[in-house]
Amino acid sequence: AVLLDPAAIVQPTLLVRGAWDTVCDEADGQWWLSALGSGVKQSQTLSRGTHLMHLESGRESLYAACNRFLLESRT
């Protein structure tokens, strides 16, 4: 059973992953990005981040990337 159809996601989407993420690799991210139904989609890999970037000391770069995307994709 499919839990989520990425093509059904049509909102602007930012995919952020850490360069040191051992849970989701670059191929996983590229698959998700290509499968999304959104016309506005970006991918960004943050250096020195893992799968738990939001809990790490460098989380400010995650917040900055998200804020930048939100400001740029406003309609």
Side-chain angles (χ1 to χ4, degrees):
V2 175
L3 297 176
L4 173 68
D5 177 12
I9 300 172
V10 296
Q11 293 78 13
T13 305
L14 172 65
L15 177 80
V16 181
R17 56 177 303 277
W20 294 345
D21 190 338
T22 59
V23 178
C24 299
D25 62 19
E26 185 68 26
D28 295 329
Q30 289 306 314
W31 181 86
W32 271 99
L33 201 63
S34 66
L36 287 169
S38 176
V40 177
K41 48 191 170 183
Q42 291 180 20
S43 177
Q44 188 167 0
T45 302
L46 301 178
S47 64
R48 303 183 62 186
T50 71
H51 196 71
L52 299 173
M53 283 185 286
H54 64 291
L55 301 175
E56 297 169 4
S57 61
R59 64 186 164 268
E60 292 81 15
S61 61
L62 172 63
Y63 301 157
C66 293
N67 286 334
R68 206 170 23 257
F69 178 78
L70 291 170
L71 289 172
E72 291 171 359
S73 63
R74 286 188 302 190
T75 56

